[in-house]
Amino acid sequence: MQDAHAAENAGRADKVTGRDMRANPQGKASHRQNVRSSLLQIRLGFARSLKLYTTASHVVWRSNRTGIVLGIAAAILLAGTGSLMLSPAGGVRTASLATRPAPQILAQATSREDKSATFAARALPERPHTNQPPLAQPVVTTVEIERGDTLMQVLTSAGADEAEATSAIKALQPLFSPRNLKVGQEISLTLEPRPSASNDPSTGPLLQLASVSFEPDLSRKIEINRDSGGTFRGTAIEKPLTDGLSRAQGTISQSLYLSAQRQGVPAPVLAEFIRIFSYDVDFQRDLKPGDRFELLFQRQFDEQGIAVRDGNILYASLTIDGKPHRLWRFSSNGDVDYFDERGQSMKKFLMKTPIDGARISSSFGMRKHPILGYSKMHTGVDFAAPRGTPIYAAGDGVVTRASWFSGYGNYVEIRHSNGYATAYGHMSGYARGLRAGSRVRQGQIIGYVGTTGRSTGPHLHYEVHLRNKKINPLGVNVPTGVELASRDMKKFASARAGIATQYAEAPLLSNLARATSPAADSAD
């Protein structure tokens, strides 16, 4: 009823307004202007409402209520601008519009229980745009050392400046020499935002070196960190290790090296095994297929039970043609050596073969020279080996020459006691610091296999001189080493019994290798 009265009053007002405009032409023009303005507002409001309708239809359509969409569409188109209130029967509780600018959906809530949806829409201010670059972020990277790399090159290539790289290296040097970094070593670097740096790269580097860390071996980790004052400090972290033992045994097929490798014997342990027998055994001519080897050696294991460091050999046995040669590690008067059952030291005055893993390519005696082409006395023994293989001093003595010498190429001569001397030719280079006058110990590295001088390939030419006369290195009879005194023999017998128990209880390397192999893991 009230709506009918309001409509009637509105009609009367329109009639009065019409009579006024006919009487007043200026008012008529003004009225036309107001109508145009109202039509423009209605058009703009309709466009905004249509935009809201499209958005709201998409939101409510997901609730699978077709009636809701139709109710919202009809209400928005009728309202044009202003506020909008829909009944709950239409599925929408409230929706408020702002006439300008165009509205955006802010939130939506739906409920399956009351089968309704609620959303709100209002105008949002435009997000400001900025051309500033993003803030610098910390960078963590891992670099692998390649041949020819230096630590300075690695750090500066990663983004550190030379000053901070120099400071980090100085902090490292008391713990580890950068020169000892090996090809393939992985180094972890962290670069962090420089506190005083702006976001503009033209003002300088945005990042600074924060830390350097790496593991020089499996038992140690080294960290270099920048403190709050900008000073680099180094820390060496020793991993907790457990002492243990391992044993290996096997039958020689092609060579001792290959057979021991198949049983899992580490290369350094095998080299020591060969060394302690090299005084009595010619590994090129004495060993045959079917001969056997045994050894017990110390190891250290990490928290996961992985062997990370190999220690001394406690017991070694080499059976040749059915005859066993056994050696036990024992300390007498503070000197540690390897002794046989009789208490005789394995160490001899001179080693028969001052090189590991080599084969005899030419023996002592007359031969047709491979380069000169005529028969000539070969005054030594040639051991063929890969270039760079270490060469050892055959005995204690003093270096009398370490230089180029005619067809011998790079040459070393060592004077021993009792009128003996040894010579080594065709070397690729000398051990660091070796020169005439240097004192060397038996088994010390003096140089490396090469092919300098009059040579057809990499090998060691080895000579033994007795009172300036060259003799056959493989046939020389040299004095033996230390023999245990009678008072030490009881201690030695007790030590041998203890080692025998340890050997029986120690895990076999081949079993350990099978237990940790991928095939064993997949079988489980």
Side-chain angles (χ1 to χ4, degrees), residues 11-181:
R12 292 174 182 172
D14 289 340
K15 291 179 181 180
V16 173
T17 304
R19 287 195 301 268
D20 293 342
M21 285 189 293
R22 285 193 297 269
N24 186 0
Q26 293 181 353
K28 184 178 181 178
S30 176
H31 176 70
R32 289 175 179 173
Q33 184 67 28
N34 291 337
V35 170
R36 291 193 190 97
S37 178
S38 298
L39 290 175
L40 179 60
Q41 292 294 332
I42 291 172
R43 186 183 302 169
L44 292 174
F46 178 81
R48 297 187 189 106
S49 300
L50 184 60
K51 183 176 181 179
L52 177 60
Y53 157 73
T54 304
T55 306
S57 299
H58 179 72
V59 172
V60 182
W61 178 259
R62 294 186 178 182
S63 65
N64 198 21
R65 298 294 184 267
T66 306
I68 296 175
V69 177
L70 298 177
I72 293 175
I76 294 176
L77 292 175
L78 290 174
T81 60
S83 298
L84 174 64
M85 296 296 295
L86 296 181
S87 66
V92 179
R93 290 177 180 171
T94 60
S96 60
L97 298 177
T99 57
R100 61 174 68 86
Q104 300 179 25
I105 297 297
L106 297 182
Q108 173 197 1
T110 62
S111 173
R112 292 184 179 272
E113 287 76 7
D114 60 7
K115 300 181 180 180
S116 63
T118 303
F119 66 92
R122 65 177 176 82
L124 291 179
E126 186 178 358
R127 180 175 296 177
H129 296 282
T130 176
N131 293 324
Q132 293 183 352
L135 295 174
Q137 298 296 321
V139 176
V140 179
T141 184
T142 300
V143 181
E144 183 174 306
I145 298 296
E146 298 180 355
R147 185 175 299 277
D149 281 349
T150 66
L151 186 56
M152 174 65 78
Q153 291 172 341
V154 170
L155 296 181
T156 53
S157 297
D161 62 37
E162 290 189 7
E164 60 190 13
T166 300
S167 299
I169 293 173
K170 286 182 178 179
L172 170 65
Q173 286 173 338
L175 305 173
F176 181 83
S177 173
R179 292 185 176 183
N180 293 333
L181 286 173

Side-chain angles (χ1 to χ4, degrees), residues 468-479:
N468 296 323
K469 181 182 179 181
K470 299 176 180 180
I471 60 176
N472 185 356
L474 301 180
V476 62
N477 293 316
V478 293

Side-chain angles (χ1 to χ4, degrees), residues 443-455:
Q444 178 180 332
I445 294 177
I446 58 172
Y448 305 91
V449 170
T451 184
T452 56
R454 195 179 296 137
S455 169

Side-chain angles (χ1 to χ4, degrees), residues 367-374 407 426 451-457 459:
R367 67 166 186 175
K368 184 178 181 179
H369 198 280
I371 294 179
L372 300 178
Y374 57 83
H426 307 306
T451 184
T452 56
R454 195 179 296 137
S455 169
T456 58
H459 71 283

Side-chain angles (χ1 to χ4, degrees), residues 290-306:
D291 292 340
R292 291 186 56 80
F293 65 91
E294 296 177 346
L295 67 154
L296 175 71
F297 61 98
Q298 298 169 325
R299 299 192 103 177
Q300 288 185 312
F301 301 85
D302 64 13
E303 294 173 313
Q304 286 74 41
I306 299 173

Side-chain angles (χ1 to χ4, degrees), residues 421-475:
T422 53
Y424 315 79
H426 307 306
M427 301 165 68
S428 63
Y430 310 101
R432 182 177 297 178
L434 190 82
R435 59 181 60 87
S438 298
R439 183 169 294 276
V440 294
R441 302 285 294 176
Q442 188 177 63
Q444 178 180 332
I445 294 177
I446 58 172
Y448 305 91
V449 170
T451 184
T452 56
R454 195 179 296 137
S455 169
T456 58
H459 71 283
L460 166 66
H461 175 81
Y462 175 56
E463 294 182 354
V464 175
H465 306 165
L466 176 59
R467 298 182 182 90
N468 296 323
K469 181 182 179 181
K470 299 176 180 180
I471 60 176
N472 185 356
L474 301 180

